[in-house]
Amino acid sequence: MRHGKYPFVIGFLFAPVALYVTFVIWPYAQAFQISMTNWRGLSAPQWVGFDNYRRLLDDGAFWKAVQHHGVLLLALPLITIAIALFFAFLLNVGGKSSGGQRQGVWGAKFYRVVFFFPQVLAVAIIAVLFQMVYRPNESGLINGVLMKIGLEPILFLVKPNLALWSILAVLVWQAVGFYVVLFSAGMASIPGEIYEAAEMDGASRVTLFFRVTLPLLWDTLQVAWVYLGIAAFDAFAIVAVLSVDGGGPDGATTVLAMEIYRNAFVYSKYGYASAMGVALFFLTLTFAALTLRLTKRESVEY
């Protein structure tokens, strides 16, 4: 049996590995190859080496998109995790004790469904919904209320200094429900005896959160931060539907995925767009590696 173990394992792994190489690794390799060319889609590609990458260094639109990713990388995980942790704590251990077990607030099961609801909607549908929310006239959900009480409408998606934050709010609204469920699962695995012991020592709810819940959820928080960082590097569908002229006004909401789309399918610069895609790949990989390294800590066993 021992001598036949490796052929048996290889036999089961061959098909999924072959599919992964064909549909994931090979397209990545093609992107690297195309990024070294001046290919416009119809004519034969011309080899230009690293010229496309040198052009990126002087591309204002590219660096503006990178700057926007920097804002999203900081704000999206911080805001989403803070809100999701707060709600998850209330839904799982924020209520009274019953039979020696911590309970969530009243109606916790209903709230879980409500918070998770955005996850069942397609990203494009969410963007269209918030188009109606952000409309700059009385037909908009927010501005309609403001105008009825005599206030001026807010141009959420038109003002350059407000547009990116308006899109960030949509990304947070979309993501919070998933992380409420993720953190709830982590809190459910924490033994109730730990909370009981802390309460017997006089710990308040704030102390329970910061001294018990947060340290024991650290691995889950680490994963959540990486996932949200990857989401911040994407954000293409929300930006494409909500923003003015695809990343506007005046490039105030553009992201790398938007610039890749524009260069590839509007300007037919497939080689240059692939170079941007490769840059996005390494930025995402670097972020994930740094996050896992900088947030690494000894695991707490319980």
Side-chain angles (χ1 to χ4, degrees):
M1 183 66 182
R2 179 174 299 178
H3 294 291
K5 178 176 63 175
Y6 295 109
F8 178 78
V9 172
I10 292 172
F12 271 93
L13 289 178
F14 178 79
V17 170
L19 289 173
Y20 185 80
V21 170
T22 302
F23 294 106
V24 178
I25 302 299
W26 180 242
Y28 276 132
Q30 284 184 312
F32 282 100
Q33 179 185 4
I34 294 172
S35 70
M36 297 286 187
T37 66
N38 186 20
W39 185 43
R40 302 190 65 88
L42 297 176
S43 60
Q46 299 176 351
W47 185 264
V48 295
F50 290 97
D51 284 355
N52 287 327
Y53 294 99
R54 283 190 283 267
R55 286 177 57 196
L56 285 179
L57 299 177
D58 298 322
D59 190 340
F62 171 79
W63 289 111
K64 183 175 285 190
V66 171
Q67 182 182 358
H68 294 158
H69 283 301
V71 174
L72 295 177
L73 277 175
L74 181 62
L76 179 60
L78 278 176
I79 298 173
T80 303
I81 289 175
I83 296 174
L85 273 175
F86 174 74
F87 285 137
F89 185 77
L90 290 180
L91 296 181
N92 289 273
V93 294
K96 298 180 179 179
S97 299
S98 176
Q101 296 291 326
R102 296 294 305 181
Q103 301 291 327
V105 297
W106 183 85
K109 293 182 179 179
F110 171 75
Y111 293 136
R112 286 191 183 97
V113 176
V114 172
F115 291 143
F116 193 76
F117 176 71
Q119 296 298 312
V120 305
L121 299 177
V123 177
I125 293 176
I126 292 174
V128 171
L129 286 175
F130 273 89
Q131 276 185 331
M132 302 177 185
V133 172
Y134 287 150
R135 278 180 181 171
N137 50 40
E138 60 184 9
S139 65
L141 181 62
I142 298 177
N143 285 318
V145 175
L146 293 178
M147 295 175 72
K148 284 183 178 179
I149 61 177
L151 298 177
E152 291 293 325
I154 301 174
L155 305 178
F156 290 101
L157 300 174
V158 177
K159 289 187 176 181
N161 60 345
L162 188 59
L164 184 63
W165 297 103
S166 301
I167 288 177
L168 172 64
V170 179
L171 294 172
V172 171
W173 183 85
Q174 177 196 12
V176 161
F178 173 80
Y179 292 97
V180 168
V181 174
L182 181 66
F183 296 148
S184 295
M187 292 178 188
S189 65
I190 300 175
E193 293 81 2
I194 297 179
Y195 288 108
E196 291 178 25
E199 287 181 331
M200 290 178 63
D201 289 337
S204 64
R205 290 189 180 183
V206 176
T207 304
L208 284 176
F209 177 77
F210 285 101
R211 296 296 182 89
V212 178
T213 305
L214 206 58
L216 295 179
L217 278 181
W218 189 259
D219 291 341
T220 307
L221 291 173
Q222 188 183 49
V223 172
W225 195 283
V226 172
Y227 283 178
L228 285 165
I230 294 173
F233 274 117
D234 184 12
F236 170 75
I238 296 291
V239 172
V241 177
L242 276 180
S243 64
V244 178
D245 296 329
D250 194 24
T253 59
T254 189
V255 291
L256 282 177
M258 194 74 245
E259 292 301 317
I260 292 170
Y261 175 86
R262 183 179 290 111
N263 279 278
F265 301 109
V266 177
Y267 306 138
S268 296
K269 298 179 180 179
Y270 293 99
Y272 190 58
S274 295
M276 282 191 176
V278 172
L280 177 59
F281 169 78
F282 280 111
L283 284 172
T284 307
L285 196 64
T286 301
F287 164 79
L290 285 176
T291 300
L292 293 174
R293 181 67 183 88
L294 295 176
T295 59
K296 185 179 180 180
R297 56 179 290 180
E298 292 183 4
S299 59
V300 180
E301 295 183 1
Y302 50 87

